[in-house]
Amino acid sequence: MALPAAVPGEPGDGRTGPQGLLPVPNALREVLPDGGLRRGSAVSVAGGDTGLLLALAAGVRETEGGWAAAVGLPDLGLAAAEGYGLDLRRLLVADDPGPHWAEVVSVLAGAVELVMLRPDGPVPPKLTARLAAVLRRSGCVLLVAGPWPGAALRLGVRSGRWFGLGDGHGQLAGRQVEVVAEGRGSAVRGRTARLWLPDERGEVRPLQASTLQKRPLQASPLQERPDRAGLPQEQLRPATEPVAPRIAAVV
């Protein structure tokens, strides 16, 4: 598999703000024990909620490097990713890595600051430990759509409802959710926040009075925002045509 050959900067060069954290949108900071995603860690998104996954990844645009990758997520919508704030010019996509997803993640971890992943089946403990070492060495954040053994942080959407549909007509205009975070150390007791994910403008913000007047559509706790665009089935490609990064480390 051919990979690009340049990366803007090296891991650990201070691009991610204080205390080695990758930024997240303001509305999500209060639910995270450190106020951001700790570099070199794995974070599990329960149920693989697409909206929450993209919202957590969107903060990568605030860093100097700003590169991210999506592995094993063929149904991820590019329009949805851009709507949450990801820069498509700095998004690498491996739609269908198959059984080689771990090797793809290992290589990309040295070239980007954040990887979104849906594993191809159960993850053996030895593989989890090997990838944990890769993350610690590179400083990359791994956002996993679903369970991940030993994840430092687990987040999920406990309840939610869509707004915008009337009696058989209308358009989805926003989703109210309750986000829950729990994990190890300072996160063990869990934190919650009620958010628009997204609101009528496609933004993530705390739940407050809104101008939305249309009837709510009840949704299951883990119902995902409908994707607005699919991704072609290619082994690895940039979402658009940016200047390609250099792979900093290959495992």
Side-chain angles (χ1 to χ4, degrees):
M1 177 178 60
L3 291 173
V7 70
E10 298 295 334
D13 62 2
R15 292 174 291 162
T16 60
Q19 301 178 350
L21 298 178
L22 196 67
V24 296
N26 290 336
L28 286 168
R29 288 177 184 172
E30 67 177 77
V31 79
L32 300 178
D34 296 316
L37 300 174
R38 186 159 294 281
R39 287 181 61 92
S41 68
V43 177
S44 170
V45 177
D49 187 273
T50 303
L52 182 55
L53 191 76
L54 292 174
L56 288 167
V60 74
R61 71 182 184 273
E62 300 179 21
T63 67
E64 182 181 339
W67 283 86
V71 178
L73 293 162
D75 297 327
L76 186 69
L78 291 181
E82 187 174 36
Y84 276 100
L86 283 166
D87 185 351
L88 299 186
R89 298 170 299 174
R90 292 178 176 269
L91 176 65
L92 297 177
V93 178
D95 287 328
D96 187 15
H100 304 293
W101 63 266
E103 287 80 0
V104 174
V105 170
S106 295
V107 172
L108 288 173
V112 302
E113 294 191 272
L114 180 143
V115 174
M116 295 176 285
L117 167 70
R118 178 172 285 121
D120 183 22
V123 184
K126 288 185 178 180
L127 180 55
T128 303
R130 180 166 69 86
L131 288 177
V134 171
L135 296 176
R136 287 193 298 269
R137 183 168 64 249
S138 65
C140 180
V141 172
L142 182 65
L143 284 180
V144 183
W148 185 261
L153 191 64
R154 299 182 300 276
L155 295 99
V157 173
R158 184 157 64 186
S159 63
R161 60 177 181 173
W162 285 96
F163 285 78
L165 291 182
D167 295 328
H169 60 86
Q171 296 180 337
L172 294 175
R175 182 176 66 148
Q176 292 181 0
V177 300
E178 183 178 24
V179 175
V180 181
E182 59 183 12
R184 300 177 299 190
S186 58
V188 70
R189 294 184 179 179
R191 299 184 177 207
T192 63
R194 292 194 59 80
L195 309 171
W196 284 102
L197 187 67
D199 65 8
E200 62 270 28
R201 295 181 297 275
E203 300 175 354
V204 181
R205 61 181 174 86
L207 182 57
Q208 298 172 345
S210 171
T211 57
L212 283 175
Q213 299 296 327
K214 298 181 180 180
R215 300 178 64 180
L217 174 67
Q218 297 295 333
S220 63
L222 296 178
Q223 182 174 352
E224 299 175 356
R225 183 183 184 188
D227 288 327
R228 290 172 282 175
L231 301 178
Q233 297 293 320
E234 302 175 14
Q235 181 67 7
L236 179 70
R237 59 178 176 80
T240 57
E241 298 295 333
V243 177
R246 177 178 74 251
I247 296 302
V250 177
V251 175

